[in-house]
Every structure is written in C-alpha cells, then in structure tokens.
Amino acid sequence: MTRKLVASLFTSVDGVAADPYLFQYDSFDDDLGAWMTQAIDRVDDAVLGRVSYTEWAGYWPTVTEGEDVSFADFINHVPKHVASRTLRPEDLAWKNSRLIEGDLVEAISALKQTEGGDIAVEGSLSVVRQLVMAGLMDELTLVVHPAVAGTGRRLFDEASPTRLALLDVQRTSKGNLLATYGPHQG
C-alpha cells in the first residue's frame, strides 16, 4: 500500500495562491482550523520547495506561543524533505530537514512506497504543480477564501491542460470553500 501525497493551498476566488496573507483578511474561522488540525494529524512527512523552506525556516522555529503554536509544533518536528537545485545539505539547519537529491518525482515516488502516514507538500506552488502534473498527488485541497486578490502567482500558471476528479467539497462558517481534487480516473 502506498502512502497518500496531499497538499492544501489557500487561494483567492481569482486563483491566486501565492502570499495568501495578502488576501485572507478575516476569513480564517474555527471550521477551517479544525479541518487543518485533522489534516496535519495524518501527516508523517512534509515536502517543501526552496522558497517555502527558506521563508519557513526563518519563522516557524521562533513560534512558541499564540494561535499558530500547534502548526509550529507540527512543522518544527515533522521530517522535512526539501526540493532545491541550489541548496546544499549543509544549508538545511532547520531540525529534521533533508535535501531531496536527484529527481523530485522519483524521490517522492520512492517516499510514497515507505511506511507511514500522509506526505504533505507545504506551500511550494512549483512543487505542488510538478507533482500534480506527474500524477503523484492523491489529494489537492484548494481552500478558496471569499476574496479577490487581483494579482499574484497562480498554482497552474505554467501547466499543461489536465483533468482532475472532485473528491469532496466543504464550506466553512465564514464562506471558505474547501474543494479537494484527486487524479482523474477514466
């Protein structure tokens, strides 16, 4: 049995997925928090791209209290697999981090064959896009906030047309839409 590869990304109604703090406003609610807690409880490994790793390594280890402490506890302790062509193993000072050596798709395919819970791609739009396009992503949840960002990077700006299957849809009390997709079967 293979492990599930999952990703959850915050997006705006117009599809912007980069820098969600610029458009989330006050749309984070208890429903979304409970969903995120359930999701990370199933995760045993995380995958990050270079940019997310660099940004997060400078922030999450410093979070020791407040509303983000549960995610900080998770991300600081989970094994982190870092996809980068420019970082070296010695650049990865954040606890439990290792560099993915070689091809990303091959490395994640091999990781999926190991024992454990879900493998979550955290942030990292280009990594999510590459793994979706390679057919490795088992669940991609887009958390659509009720806001228009106007400008910014979209998840599939540089992708070939492909079909996905809608697996689940949920709505939170503040109007966030959680749409979970998987590989198209057919």
Side-chain angles (χ1 to χ4, degrees), residues 5-166:
L5 180 65
V6 300
S8 304
L9 296 171
F10 297 131
T11 71
S12 62
V13 171
D14 56 336
V16 174
D19 303 319
Y21 59 88
L22 295 174
F23 59 78
Q24 284 176 313
Y25 308 117
D26 61 349
S27 62
F28 201 93
D29 55 29
D30 290 342
D31 298 334
L32 186 53
W35 179 86
M36 290 177 65
T37 298
Q38 289 175 347
I40 64 174
D41 283 347
R42 295 187 303 265
V43 173
D44 285 346
D45 288 271
V47 178
L48 295 104
R50 177 190 52 83
V51 173
S52 293
Y53 176 84
T54 303
E55 290 174 358
W56 289 21
Y59 176 72
W60 288 111
T62 69
V63 177
T64 58
E65 58 186 43
E67 62 186 24
D68 291 337
V69 75
S70 61
F71 185 78
D73 287 345
F74 157 73
I75 199 66
N76 286 326
H77 294 96
V78 72
K80 290 168 279 296
H81 307 268
V82 182
S84 174
R85 292 184 186 104
T86 57
L87 293 175
R88 298 178 317 263
E90 59 268 20
D91 297 328
L92 305 183
W94 192 8
K95 180 181 175 183
N96 297 324
S97 298
R98 74 166 196 81
L99 188 64
I100 294 173
E101 309 249 4
D103 183 73
L104 172 66
V105 171
E106 290 175 10
I108 299 304
S109 292
L111 185 59
K112 285 181 71 166
Q113 300 306 314
T114 63
E115 294 292 320
D118 291 354
I119 303 161
V121 182
E122 300 291 344
S124 310
L125 298 181
S126 61
V127 173
V128 170
R129 180 175 46 249
Q130 186 175 352
L131 295 172
V132 168
M133 300 311 291
L136 289 179
M137 190 67 64
D138 297 292
E139 292 182 4
L140 170 62
T141 301
L142 300 178
V143 179
V144 183
H145 292 291
V148 175
T151 62
R153 278 184 44 215
R154 289 162 173 76
L155 175 58
F156 294 110
D157 275 346
E158 303 167 18
S160 301
T162 192
R163 299 238 0 238
L164 300 173
L166 182 62

